[in-house]
Amino acid sequence: MKYDYSQLLIDVQKKSNITVADIKDVTYLKEEIETVVSTKISFNTLRRLFGFLPKTKPAAQTLNILANYLGFNSFSNYKNNKTNYDDWYFQQYLIQLRKQKKLSSEAIETINLGIENENNLIYLGYFLAHHIEKNHQELTLSVFKAIRFQTINRTQLHKFGIILYNSLALIPEKQALQFYGQIVPLADFRENVPLLNIDYTHLHGRYFQIIQLIAQNKANDSDVFFTALIGQYKAFYIDGKDIEQIMPVTKPKDFDALFVTLKGRYFGMRFLLEPAHSVAIKNEIRTACKTVHISFFLIEIIPALIFKEAYDFLEELLDSYYEEVFEGDVWSSETTNAIYLIGLSTINWQRNNFVVAKRNLELIDLSRVEIGYVDYVALFYHLIALQISQSENNKKANASALKTLQQLIKKTKFIRFEEKAARFVLR
């Protein structure tokens, strides 16, 4: 081929999320490349590469800069390792590594090159899941110590974390907790596996023990804050403690820098522990809503408002941010949308608009909710189904909703729902 770098240009556009269609895009791409590699690349050179000026053979230095941007040492290194960068060849490479109990530095670097293609992180997740189930702790630790996760987007990291968390859930509890004890000090593991995957179903057991290990590790203020809030959830929903007995959690100094879902969790927990008519907490939430990603922020606040029966404030938030809460382009939107539809159903039930309330529930597919959230969401789903059936005096639907709710309470140990459900049972 006269110009053997077309795939390089495709991969550069993929990584940058910049499709070069005009001169403006070339400018954006130049800024992106120079930011990542801290090396200047000529604007006219990029124009030639993408056909906005007559093409000439690019200098080796130019191709090396583009390869550096993709995470390779050189263009030659890029070409030699390109097969591992592609999905199928990367999978084959990991299959070959499955028989090993220890990875060489060369293997680690090849994996690092492979996850430059973010889709490959999922395959790495299943590869590590295999070794976790084989109790190859040293290999798993070596990966988390050396792999470069910093450039991976949060969606892929979340999926990766779910794979690993659930592989750890399959091994005996003693072995799993011993494994967590070794690997929790590593930030890349801690932040992308147990902290990114809330397991409400096992909050009464294994997951809470993992949270305690993280709290003991005391890595940073954010982790301590998160673990304290999870402790409050357990104390409230599972232990059924009186509100006065639950230790308050104060905001860390860097609260504004925390991930938006964690901020929402704090406000949701505060709402559970404070009087529903508290003006201060409502105003704080209203203020925060002006500057945050609403869909992620309200995911823990809406259930708290439902449980505390703060229907006016629930309606205010869903009316004000209806378009922002329902997202179709986020992989986890089935979970967030389910929660917000339950909120809408609750409002319509409160308005005695039972037909619309039931339609809201019909739009929810619980089987598509994230694994760790599914039983938690189902508790609220079947609670409102119970409330609707009582209001309609539908004994069959009421008995069915109650039975499912009781099964979920037994499974999750969320005993607070027992007293809530008792008020809506048809005799």
Side-chain angles (χ1 to χ4, degrees):
M1 292 177 62
K2 187 176 181 181
Y3 301 117
D4 190 18
Y5 54 85
S6 57
Q7 188 60 46
L8 180 71
L9 299 183
I10 291 170
D11 290 338
V12 166
Q13 292 176 89
K14 282 182 180 178
K15 177 170 180 175
S16 65
N17 286 322
I18 299 171
T19 300
V20 178
D22 54 38
I23 294 297
K24 176 180 62 178
D25 298 321
V26 176
T27 301
Y28 294 150
L29 184 61
K30 180 180 187 300
E31 293 172 356
E32 163 69 9
I33 292 169
E34 291 179 348
T35 299
V36 172
V37 301
S38 300
T39 304
K40 296 291 184 182
I41 186 167
S42 167
F43 178 63
N44 284 339
T45 295
L46 284 176
R47 289 170 69 192
R48 288 191 185 92
L49 285 171
F50 286 98
F52 295 100
L53 288 177
K55 284 190 176 183
T56 59
K57 183 178 180 180
Q61 182 184 5
T62 298
L63 297 178
N64 287 339
I65 290 172
L66 296 178
N68 293 160
Y69 172 71
L70 292 173
F72 297 91
N73 295 328
S74 65
F75 180 56
S76 175
N77 181 240
Y78 164 83
K79 287 195 295 183
N80 291 337
N81 288 280
K82 185 66 178 69
T83 54
N84 288 324
Y85 187 78
D86 289 329
D87 297 25
W88 172 238
Y89 295 103
F90 184 72
Q91 291 179 62
Q92 289 188 98
Y93 182 73
L94 293 181
I95 289 170
Q96 293 170 346
L97 293 180
R98 284 183 65 167
K99 296 178 182 178
Q100 300 185 25
K101 294 184 180 180
K102 188 176 181 180
L103 297 181
S104 66
S105 58
E106 291 79 12
I108 291 287
E109 184 55 28
T110 300
I111 291 172
N112 267 321
L113 292 171
I115 63 171
E116 285 289 333
N117 176 349
E118 293 183 341
N119 294 329
N120 284 337
L121 191 66
I122 305 303
Y123 308 128
L124 178 61
Y126 286 116
F127 169 77
L128 290 175
H130 163 79
H131 287 288
I132 286 170
E133 289 165 22
K134 294 291 184 182
N135 200 28
H136 296 163
Q137 296 184 17
E138 183 181 346
L139 182 147
T140 308
L141 281 164
S142 71
V143 171
F144 274 96
K145 286 178 180 178
I147 295 300
R148 297 187 288 266
F149 291 100
Q150 294 78 11
T151 60
I152 308 294
N153 73 59
R154 194 173 181 87
T155 291
Q156 295 301 95
L157 287 171
H158 201 160
K159 294 176 182 178
F160 172 78
I162 286 175
I163 293 167
L164 294 194
Y165 180 82
N166 285 282
S167 67
L168 281 160
L170 294 174
I171 65 178
E173 184 173 295
K174 184 178 180 180
Q175 180 182 322
L177 292 175
Q178 191 269 339
F179 187 93
Y180 272 108
Q182 286 195 20
I183 201 167
V184 149
L186 300 180
D188 280 329
F189 175 84
R190 187 176 64 251
E191 293 170 5
N192 296 313
V193 182
L195 292 180
L196 203 55
N197 300 281
I198 316 304
D199 186 359
Y200 283 112
T201 301
H202 301 100
L203 181 54
H204 63 282
R206 184 185 296 206
Y207 184 65
F208 189 66
Q209 293 181 71
I210 296 166
I211 292 301
Q212 288 178 307
L213 285 173
I214 296 171
Q216 292 163 15
N217 189 63
K218 295 181 180 177
N220 55 57
D221 290 344
S222 173
D223 293 349
V224 173
F225 183 57
F226 173 85
T227 55
L229 288 174
I230 290 296
Q232 285 191 328
Y233 271 75
K234 180 177 181 294
F236 181 83
Y237 282 117
I238 295 173
D239 302 333
K241 288 186 178 181
D242 292 335
I243 289 173
E244 296 77 15
Q245 296 177 294
I246 300 176
M247 291 290 293
V249 175
T250 55
K251 290 182 182 179
K253 293 179 181 178
D254 63 344
F255 181 80
D256 290 340
L258 297 178
F259 187 64
V260 63
T261 304
L262 182 52
K263 293 180 185 178
R265 183 179 298 283
Y266 165 76
F267 285 115
M269 196 63 236
R270 270 193 53 195
F271 213 97
L272 288 173
L273 301 181
E274 293 184 15
H277 58 268
S278 172
V279 174
I281 181 65
K282 291 178 183 177
N283 285 336
E284 286 186 60
I285 292 172
R286 288 184 185 108
T287 300
C289 281
K290 298 175 182 177
T291 59
V292 298
H293 187 298
I294 291 294
S295 181
F296 293 157
F297 181 62
L298 295 182
I299 190 172
E300 294 292 351
I301 293 174
I302 296 301
L305 301 186
I306 292 171
F307 200 87
K308 287 299 291 271
E309 301 178 11
Y311 301 129
D312 289 345
F313 192 46
L314 174 65
E315 184 172 359
E316 176 191 326
L317 290 178
L318 289 179
D319 281 351
S320 299
Y321 300 104
Y322 183 85
E323 292 185 4
E324 288 94 331
V325 297
F326 291 104
E327 294 184 314
D329 58 344
V330 178
W331 83 276
S332 59
S333 61
E334 292 287 350
T335 302
T336 55
N337 288 353
I339 289 171
Y340 300 136
L341 284 166
I342 291 168
L344 285 177
S345 181
T346 302
I347 291 169
N348 284 308
W349 164 71
Q350 187 67 11
R351 294 170 174 167
N352 294 322
N353 196 343
F354 307 134
V355 172
V356 176
K358 287 188 289 186
R359 280 191 193 141
N360 295 143
L361 294 185
E362 288 169 1
L363 294 172
I364 298 171
D365 183 353
L366 289 174
S367 69
R368 296 174 68 90
V369 172
E370 293 171 55
I371 296 172
Y373 262 89
V374 65
D375 290 326
Y376 175 66
V377 173
L379 282 164
F380 289 94
Y381 176 97
H382 291 288
L383 176 63
I384 184 57
L386 185 76
Q387 293 169 324
I388 294 168
S389 62
Q390 188 224 33
S391 296
E392 292 188 317
N393 199 32
N394 186 331
K395 290 186 178 181
K396 183 177 179 180
N398 191 259
S400 177
L402 178 63
K403 181 180 179 181
T404 305
L405 198 54
Q406 288 172 335
Q407 290 170 341
L408 286 165
I409 293 168
K410 183 178 181 180
K411 183 179 181 181
T412 63
K413 305 295 190 294
F414 272 46
I415 60 173
R416 284 273 185 187
F417 279 82
E418 290 178 347
E419 58 191 69
K420 184 74 69 174
R423 293 166 44 203
F424 301 100
V425 177
L426 288 171
R427 305 299 179 184

